[in-house]
């Protein structure tokens, strides 16, 4: 649906997938730490779920006319950000539509060729000041990813602690302060969040791998679609195969 809706204006669709052993987890062991804890407490068979998702990803990669990127140590965020930033290079300034509800990508809207659509709200994701949003995000951290605010220690979420309060006025004050005015712990926590949240800080080797992969990867063989739909009894997709 999204490919059909946006391909004329935005060109080729790329499916960005999370790889294994994220570099953020290596840098910050508590990264997304609660997710593993929650999965352990769940009655769902997560091995089956992840195995199924992996199989589905490979089936799409082999049978559909889209590029699918999946690299070790690399998250989907890294792929989307790197490909978006690559469009800023000389002569490449093509329009980009990010299909995601994740507000982390608002920081990429500092580029005037970038838009974002949320599948959750069915609306464009916008912010009047993407650069300020990024700095607020860095100071506040990201509880969903297990990244505490700059006043709180690494183990805040994994140990079930409460973050130290950090309101809007305090953030505004800190943004306008010189970093030398902060104590060593806050400086250190700020560097932690700056590394994890600012998409500009994706390691150079990861960025290079993404650029290499997109250049050499090919779309799946569209001639396989009919057989794939038939074998999997996807009647509705078979009837609309022209959309692909």
């Amino acid at each position: 649906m999204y490919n059909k809706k946006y391909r004329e204006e935005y060109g080729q669709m790329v499916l960005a997938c999370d790889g294994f052993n994220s570099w953020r987890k290596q840098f910050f062991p508590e990264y997304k730490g609660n997710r593993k804890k929650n999965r352990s407490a769940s009655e769902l068979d997560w091995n089956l779920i992840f195995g199924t998702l992996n199989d589905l990803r490979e089936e799409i990669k082999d049978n559909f006319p889209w590029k699918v990127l999946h690299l070790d140590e690399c998250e989907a965020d890294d792929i989307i950000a790197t490909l978006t930033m690559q469009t800023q290079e000389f002569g490449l300034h093509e329009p980009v539509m990010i299909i995601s509800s994740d507000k982390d990508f608002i920081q990429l809207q500092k580029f005037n060729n970038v838009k974002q659509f949320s599948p959750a709200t069915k609306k464009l994701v916008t912010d009047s000041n993407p650069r300020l949003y990024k700095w607020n995000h860095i100071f506040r951290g990201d509880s969903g990813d297990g990244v505490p605010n700059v006043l709180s220690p690494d183990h805040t979420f994994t140990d079930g602690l409460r973050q130290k309060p950090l309101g809007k006025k305090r953030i505004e004050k800190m943004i306008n302060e010189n970093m030398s005015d902060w104590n060593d712990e806050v400086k250190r926590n700020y560097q932690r969040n700056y590394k994890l949240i600012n998409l500009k800080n994706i390691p150079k080797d990861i960025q290079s791998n993404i650029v290499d992969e997109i250049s050499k990867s090919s779309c799946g063989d569209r001639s396989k679609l009919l057989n794939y739909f038939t074998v999997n009894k996807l009647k509705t997709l078979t009837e609309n195969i022209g959309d692909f």
Side-chain angles (χ1 to χ4, degrees), residues 13-19 57 60 66-71 74-83 98-100 105 210 214:
M13 183 169 72
V14 178
L15 302 183
C17 306
D18 285 338
R57 183 190 65 241
I60 292 173
W66 309 319
K67 289 196 174 189
V68 178
L69 262 60
H70 175 252
L71 297 88
C74 175
E75 296 181 79
D77 291 24
D78 300 319
I79 296 170
I80 292 169
T82 297
L83 296 183
I98 299 170
I99 309 295
S100 173
F105 298 122
I210 293 167
I214 193 70

Side-chain angles (χ1 to χ4, degrees), residues 13-69:
M13 183 169 72
V14 178
L15 302 183
C17 306
D18 285 338
F20 305 109
N21 305 315
S22 167
W23 67 268
R24 290 181 180 84
K25 184 75 172 177
Q26 297 173 41
F27 171 75
F28 180 57
E30 291 83 0
Y31 183 67
K32 296 184 177 179
N34 274 349
R35 297 191 186 185
K36 186 174 182 180
K37 187 189 300 184
N38 292 338
R39 286 198 297 270
S40 298
S42 169
E43 295 181 357
L44 298 174
D45 186 342
W46 285 99
N47 288 329
L48 175 63
I49 291 170
F50 287 133
T52 303
L53 289 173
N54 291 338
D55 290 345
L56 181 57
R57 183 190 65 241
E58 293 305 309
E59 289 179 17
I60 292 173
K61 188 174 183 178
D62 291 341
N63 296 286
F64 288 72
W66 309 319
K67 289 196 174 189
V68 178
L69 262 60

